[in-house]
Amino acid sequence: MFMLKAVSISAFLATLQLLPATALSPIHIQYVATPITSTSLYLGDFFNNFGKDKFQEIAPVAEEPKQEVDEEYYDEDDPIEKIFGVFFGKKEKNPMGMARFGQKRFPEQYPPTVDEWADPVEGDTPEMALLRPFLKNTNLETRGLKLTYDANKDGWDPVKFHSKVDKLGGGIVYGITRAGIQFGGYNPKGWVGYGEARGSIAAFLFVIGSRSGRKSSDPGIKLIKVGGPGLAQMDLPESGPSFSPDALVIPLDGNNPRVARSKLGSYYERFPDGTSSLFGKDSSVQLKELKVYHGVYEEGEFIPFTDAEPFALY
C-alpha cells in the first residue's frame, strides 16, 4: 500500500513538471520464492505458535493413568453392560473419585433379602439375638439395638407407644400371641406420629421359627413389601404399629388393646403356601407381648427418618 502511494505522488509531481522526468524511475517488485515444506499441523498449533519464527517442538502429552476396574462391578454376561461398555468402557468402581450407588452402601433402597441372614452381634440379649438374623441388608444389621417400647411395662396405649418410639429412626416390632406365635415387622422409616403413610420398599414382616421358613434351616420367614413402597407403615398418632392398612395392624384401642389383625396379599406378600394371615388360619389374635427395638446411635450421630416425608417416593 505504501509503494502504491509513492508511485502516485511521483507521477503527480512529474505531471506538474516539478520534477524532471528522469527523476522518475520504474519501480520493480521482486517476488522471492520460499521453499514449501510438508508437515502435520493442527488448528491448535497455529495459535500456540503465532508470532514465532519457527515451530517449536511440542512435548508429548503424558498419558493419564487408567481407572482400575473392579470386576465385581462389571458383569461380562450382562447384555446391557456389554452395549454400554462398547461406547463408555467397563464400569468403574469409583468413577471420578465418587463412590458408586449400590446395595452395600444403601441397602434400604432395595427390597429385603429373604434367603440371607445377619450374623450375631456382640452384646445382643437373647431376645435381640432372636431378631438379629432378620435384619440382614438393613441399616440395623450390625448396629447395636435397644428396647424402646414394652407394652407390658409402658402401657397398651397409642399415646404411650408414640411417646417411646417417635423420631428414633427405623425400628423392629416384635410380638407374641397368646397361642405362642412369635412375629413382627421391620419399619425402615420409623415413626414420627404425624399421620403419614410412610413408604419403603425395604419394609417386611416376619414369623420366627423353622417350621414357617422356606427352608428347615431358616430361623423363620420374611414376607416382603409388594406393589411398590407406598403405605408400608401407617404412622397414625391414634394407633399402634400398622404395617399397611391391613397386613399387620395393632391399634392399641382402649376397648380391646391387645388385638392384632393381619390380611396379607395387598401390600405384603402371602406365605409360599398361599396363607393370607401372619397368624396362620386366624385373621385376628390376642397378644401376650408387644415390643419395639431401635438402633443405638452415638451422641450427635445422624439418625435417619426422624421427620415428616410429605413428598417421599421410596
Side-chain angles (χ1 to χ4, degrees):
M1 189 67 180
F2 176 77
M3 294 303 295
L4 291 175
K5 286 183 178 180
V7 172
S8 299
I9 294 172
S10 299
F12 177 74
L13 294 176
T15 304
L16 297 178
Q17 296 182 353
L18 295 178
L19 289 174
T22 56
L24 296 175
S25 58
I27 298 172
H28 300 280
I29 300 175
Q30 183 178 8
Y31 294 92
V32 179
T34 303
I36 299 175
T37 60
S38 176
T39 183
S40 297
L41 299 177
Y42 301 93
L43 182 61
D45 297 330
F46 171 78
F47 292 102
N48 292 334
N49 295 276
F50 183 77
K52 297 181 181 180
D53 294 336
K54 60 180 180 179
F55 292 105
Q56 297 176 351
E57 184 177 354
I58 300 175
V61 179
E63 293 185 2
E64 295 183 359
K66 294 182 179 180
Q67 291 281 350
E68 293 184 3
V69 177
D70 190 334
E71 297 300 332
E72 180 184 351
Y73 287 81
Y74 186 79
D75 185 359
E76 293 283 1
D77 297 325
D78 190 319
I80 302 300
E81 291 193 353
K82 279 186 176 181
I83 294 173
F84 277 83
V86 172
F87 299 98
F88 305 107
K90 287 188 176 182
K91 186 165 60 175
E92 301 165 5
K93 182 177 181 180
N94 297 311
M96 295 186 291
M98 296 183 292
R100 187 175 293 278
F101 186 102
Q103 189 170 8
K104 289 184 178 180
R105 293 190 65 222
F106 303 99
E108 294 185 358
Q109 298 298 319
Y110 297 84
T113 177
V114 297
D115 55 5
E116 295 180 81
W117 310 97
D119 295 327
V121 172
E122 185 178 358
D124 279 355
T125 65
E127 194 165 85
M128 293 176 185
L130 194 65
L131 302 175
R132 179 67 67 180
F134 297 91
L135 295 175
K136 180 68 175 179
N137 287 354
T138 71
N139 289 338
L140 301 182
E141 178 177 352
T142 59
R143 185 177 291 275
L145 298 176
K146 63 179 179 180
L147 177 64
T148 52
Y149 172 73
D150 183 344
N152 287 330
K153 294 180 179 179
D154 300 316
W156 295 80
D157 179 83
V159 174
K160 293 178 180 178
F161 168 78
H162 282 281
S163 70
K164 294 292 185 178
V165 304
D166 283 356
K167 300 185 178 182
L168 295 178
I172 185 167
V173 174
Y174 169 61
I176 304 177
T177 70
R178 287 181 177 174
I181 299 173
Q182 298 182 79
F183 70 96
Y186 177 61
N187 175 14
K189 297 294 186 68
W191 299 268
V192 294
Y194 292 159
E196 294 178 305
R198 296 168 79 82
S200 176
I201 197 66
F204 61 84
L205 301 174
F206 63 88
V207 176
I208 299 174
S210 59
R211 293 178 62 184
S212 61
R214 290 178 168 86
K215 299 178 182 178
S216 59
S217 59
D218 291 346
I221 190 169
K222 293 165 73 171
L223 305 174
I224 66 174
K225 183 75 176 64
V226 295
L231 304 178
Q233 181 70 211
M234 309 301 293
D235 185 21
L236 307 175
E238 68 275 12
S239 174
S242 180
F243 289 79
S244 83
D246 57 8
L248 173 60
V249 180
I250 308 175
L252 297 178
D253 181 72
N255 296 324
N256 192 3
R258 293 176 179 262
V259 69
R261 293 187 286 269
S262 176
K263 180 184 177 183
L264 303 172
S266 299
Y267 299 95
Y268 288 83
E269 67 174 331
R270 296 185 177 94
F271 283 87
D273 63 0
T275 300
S276 60
S277 172
L278 205 59
F279 312 118
K281 60 182 178 59
D282 298 320
S283 60
S284 177
V285 296
Q286 290 290 316
L287 301 183
K288 183 169 63 174
E289 292 189 30
L290 177 63
K291 298 179 181 179
V292 178
Y293 286 88
H294 282 89
V296 176
Y297 294 85
E298 300 292 336
E299 184 177 356
E301 185 179 1
F302 173 73
I303 303 176
F305 309 120
T306 57
D307 211 336
E309 294 190 305
F311 303 110
L313 299 178
Y314 53 91

